[in-house]
Amino acid sequence: TLPVQEPDGEISQSHQPPLYYWLGAKLVHQIDAPELVPTRNPFWAYDEAGLVSQNNKLQFLNESSNQFPYQDGELVVHTLRLWSLVLTMAGVTAVWGIGKQLWPQQPFKTAFMLAVGGLNPMLLYLAGAVNNDSMIFMWGTIMLWLCLLALEKSFRWDITFLIGVVGGLAMLTKLTGLM
């Protein structure tokens, strides 16, 4: 189900547009699993700026049930993590397309751009997480690629229509998709 936003509740992403989460739910809806309630890391303090010693990014502790082959809730989480990885790879493919568009005769520049974009440590971190950042990365890079194509082809109606569709999908993925 879609999350319920509560002002006094736990920190969540319930304020985000639902496209990533809705598609993820469609992807795993046939997995019969009880609700997974992972053990929270007592040292996780992501929202407390300036507390370097308390700023542990590992929100949940690793548990012995989280071993391959995955079952139940762990299978759901790992399937969604794989879904994020696929979306990130689609975005990296769009980065390659942007490089080919900018430098068709200079593959080394495209390769450099692909390495800088695809091997960014934060992107690699997000590619393995269950969140909408991988999808917004994909829409953003596809949007840039389409804009380059539109400039080259004088904004033909088909490319302009695709820019509108991708922009709409980006807004349905994350609030920053409006940018």
Side-chain angles (χ1 to χ4, degrees), residues 100-173:
K100 293 288 284 183
Q101 190 75 27
L102 290 173
W103 305 292
Q105 304 300 322
Q106 298 172 316
F108 292 111
K109 286 185 178 180
T110 300
F112 181 73
M113 181 178 169
L114 192 58
V116 169
L119 298 176
N120 179 300
M122 192 64 188
L123 180 68
L124 295 174
Y125 167 76
L126 291 172
V130 179
N131 64 47
N132 56 6
D133 292 321
S134 54
M135 186 175 272
I136 199 66
F137 168 72
M138 179 189 72
W139 294 135
T141 53
I142 290 173
M143 177 67 82
L144 287 174
W145 193 8
L146 287 172
C147 288
L148 286 172
L149 286 171
L151 285 171
E152 180 183 293
K153 300 182 185 299
S154 300
F155 284 89
R156 288 189 345 220
W157 73 269
D158 55 342
I159 296 174
T160 305
F161 176 76
L162 281 175
I163 288 172
V165 168
V166 169
L169 291 170
M171 287 188 286
L172 286 172
T173 300

Side-chain angles (χ1 to χ4, degrees), residues 22-179:
W22 181 76
L23 290 174
K26 287 290 185 189
L27 183 67
V28 298
H29 81 279
Q30 292 184 346
I31 300 173
D32 186 27
E35 183 177 348
L36 179 66
V37 182
T39 305
R40 285 197 172 275
N41 182 351
F43 301 106
W44 183 72
Y46 188 76
D47 60 335
E48 296 180 34
L51 297 177
V52 178
S53 63
Q54 292 285 318
N55 198 6
N56 190 313
K57 300 292 189 238
L58 184 62
Q59 185 175 2
F60 303 107
L61 297 177
N62 197 10
E63 302 188 43
S64 60
S65 62
N66 193 13
Q67 301 287 328
F68 187 81
Y70 306 115
Q71 298 176 7
D72 302 327
E74 287 82 9
L75 180 60
V76 169
V77 170
H78 284 279
T79 302
L80 291 172
R81 290 176 72 186
L82 183 60
W83 166 238
S84 290
L85 180 62
V86 167
L87 293 171
T88 302
M89 291 174 63
V92 170
T93 302
V95 170
W96 171 80
I98 291 168
K100 293 288 284 183
Q101 190 75 27
L102 290 173
W103 305 292
Q105 304 300 322
Q106 298 172 316
F108 292 111
K109 286 185 178 180
T110 300
F112 181 73
M113 181 178 169
L114 192 58
V116 169
L119 298 176
N120 179 300
M122 192 64 188
L123 180 68
L124 295 174
Y125 167 76
L126 291 172
V130 179
N131 64 47
N132 56 6
D133 292 321
S134 54
M135 186 175 272
I136 199 66
F137 168 72
M138 179 189 72
W139 294 135
T141 53
I142 290 173
M143 177 67 82
L144 287 174
W145 193 8
L146 287 172
C147 288
L148 286 172
L149 286 171
L151 285 171
E152 180 183 293
K153 300 182 185 299
S154 300
F155 284 89
R156 288 189 345 220
W157 73 269
D158 55 342
I159 296 174
T160 305
F161 176 76
L162 281 175
I163 288 172
V165 168
V166 169
L169 291 170
M171 287 188 286
L172 286 172
T173 300
K174 193 165 178 136
L175 295 174
T176 55
L178 186 58
M179 302 300 178

